[in-house]
């Protein structure tokens, strides 16, 4: 359904909140078996479809993810690396869900079931209503407060259907500003899906060097390296 012909591998791990993709290994999805067992057949199809969507739409590859993290770090100032990853993951889920549900309608069913297992946060409620309105698929009935309704309307400034380059460079900063306002109003927003995309350290270093060479990262962006990639020192990027 995604136009991807490569085979996927699925690994079940209990220490995963729900599911994520592993960019360290080609086309690998990691799923929590306990969470998976609580979904019905449609929910399971939707969960796998959502994760495949990360390969098809966003981040697509490690380079796009790394650039996204640094762009988000610019917008989020003193926020921790964990908070930056969470915000980027929310944005990537937004893009995947809106585009992916037209290929895998069961994605909407996954979210409906997810929120019966775990009550949604204010941001998740806002996004569920937004997804339903934009796509016409039912992501679950959510009652929004007047304040939440205002934030939902703000999301319409984002174009989720544009090309990948613009998603990262133009639409992600818009989302981050809305995310910060929601967090400022309602407090930290937990994510139901893991923001821990696994990546190979050597590939991360090589990719950051390439992004700098291409002018997509500035030297001042490297000051955010310790919180985004604490195992990589700035002098590691000087090697070829």
């Amino acid at each position: 359904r995604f136009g991807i012909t490569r085979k996927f591998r699925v690994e079940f791990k209990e220490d995963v909140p729900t599911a994520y993709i592993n960019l360290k290994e080609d086309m690998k999805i990691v799923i929590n078996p306990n969470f998976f067992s609580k979904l019905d057949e449609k929910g399971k199809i939707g969960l796998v479809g959502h994760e495949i969507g990360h390969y098809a739409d966003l981040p697509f590859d490690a380079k796009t993810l790394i650039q996204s993290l640094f762009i988000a770090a610019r917008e989020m100032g003193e926020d921790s690396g964990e908070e930056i990853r969470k915000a980027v993951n929310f944005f990537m889920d937004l893009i995947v869900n809106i585009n992916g549900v037209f290929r895998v309608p069961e994605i909407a069913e996954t979210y409906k079931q997810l929120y019966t297992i775990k009550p949604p946060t204010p941001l998740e409620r806002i996004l569920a209503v937004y997804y339903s309105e934009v796509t016409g698929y039912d992501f679950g009935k959510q009652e929004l407060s007047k304040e939440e309704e205002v934030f939902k309307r703000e999301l319409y400034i984002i174009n989720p259907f544009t090309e990948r380059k613009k998603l990262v460079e133009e639409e992600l900063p818009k989302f981050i500003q809305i995310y910060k306002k929601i967090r400022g109003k309602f407090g930290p927003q937990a994510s139901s899906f893991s923001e821990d995309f696994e990546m190979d350290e050597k590939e991360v270093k090589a990719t950051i060097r390439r992004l700098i060479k291409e002018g997509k990262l500035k030297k001042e962006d490297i000051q955010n390296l310790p919180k985004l990639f604490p195992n990589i020192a700035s002098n590691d990027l000087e090697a070829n």
Side-chain angles (χ1 to χ4, degrees):
R1 300 190 201 180
F2 285 88
I4 297 175
T5 56
R6 287 179 291 170
K7 291 183 179 180
F8 290 84
R9 292 191 301 117
V10 175
E11 177 182 342
F12 290 96
K13 291 176 64 176
E14 293 188 358
D15 60 348
V16 176
T18 48
Y20 69 89
I21 63 169
N22 185 330
L23 290 171
K24 188 183 295 185
E25 302 179 39
D26 189 45
M27 308 303 261
K28 180 178 177 182
I29 300 170
V30 183
I31 299 175
N32 181 306
N34 296 319
F35 172 68
F36 198 65
S37 68
K38 295 176 182 177
L39 302 173
D40 66 16
E41 183 177 355
K42 286 186 177 180
K44 289 173 180 174
I45 292 171
L47 177 65
V48 174
H50 170 92
E51 296 304 327
I52 293 174
H54 281 298
Y55 284 109
D57 295 313
L58 211 64
F60 180 72
D61 58 15
K63 182 180 179 182
T64 305
L65 174 57
I66 292 167
Q67 184 184 5
S68 298
L69 289 169
F70 277 101
I71 288 174
R74 291 177 202 162
E75 302 290 328
M76 297 183 70
E78 299 301 316
D79 275 304
S80 68
E82 180 182 359
E83 190 64 22
I84 292 166
R85 285 174 177 269
K86 187 191 303 180
V88 168
N89 190 62
F90 269 120
F91 175 72
M92 292 189 172
D93 280 350
L94 182 156
I95 301 304
V96 166
N97 290 333
I98 287 180
N99 287 276
V101 75
F102 294 107
R103 295 170 295 209
V104 184
E106 292 90 346
I107 289 174
E109 185 62 31
T110 300
Y111 275 79
K112 288 168 67 176
Q113 294 179 33
L114 169 65
Y115 295 142
T116 64
I117 298 168
K118 172 188 171 294
T121 63
L123 175 56
E124 289 175 327
R125 279 199 304 274
I126 293 166
L127 287 171
V129 175
Y130 170 73
Y131 295 153
S132 298
E133 290 181 358
V134 172
T135 68
Y137 288 89
D138 181 12
F139 279 75
K141 304 298 182 185
Q142 303 292 335
E143 296 293 330
L144 300 185
S145 67
K146 290 182 180 179
E147 293 168 325
E148 291 170 344
E149 183 68 28
V150 169
F151 288 126
K152 184 212 70 182
R153 288 199 296 269
E154 286 193 38
L155 289 171
Y156 278 87
I157 69 169
I158 296 168
N159 178 4
F161 303 111
T162 190
E163 62 186 70
R164 191 174 297 113
K165 181 178 184 293
K166 289 184 178 180
L167 285 175
V168 172
E169 297 179 359
E170 299 177 15
E171 307 308 320
L172 172 59
K174 296 176 188 177
F175 176 80
I176 294 296
Q177 294 308 314
I178 299 169
Y179 175 83
K180 290 197 299 183
K181 287 192 282 187
I182 292 173
R183 188 184 61 183
K185 180 64 181 178
F186 301 110
Q189 300 296 294
S191 174
S192 295
F193 286 93
S194 173
E195 58 271 8
D196 184 24
F197 296 92
E198 289 189 54
M199 292 182 282
D200 178 76
E201 189 171 300
K202 287 184 179 180
E203 183 181 2
V204 171
K205 292 177 186 178
T207 300
I208 293 174
R209 291 190 205 107
R210 189 160 65 251
L211 288 168
I212 293 172
K213 186 175 181 180
E214 293 173 357
K216 294 179 179 178
L217 289 184
K218 303 172 184 177
K219 287 190 176 180
E220 51 265 36
D221 287 322
I222 304 306
Q223 68 184 0
N224 290 314
L225 183 65
K227 59 184 177 182
L228 294 177
F229 300 100
N231 295 328
I232 299 176
S234 57
N235 58 8
D236 290 338
L237 303 178
E238 298 173 4
N240 293 319

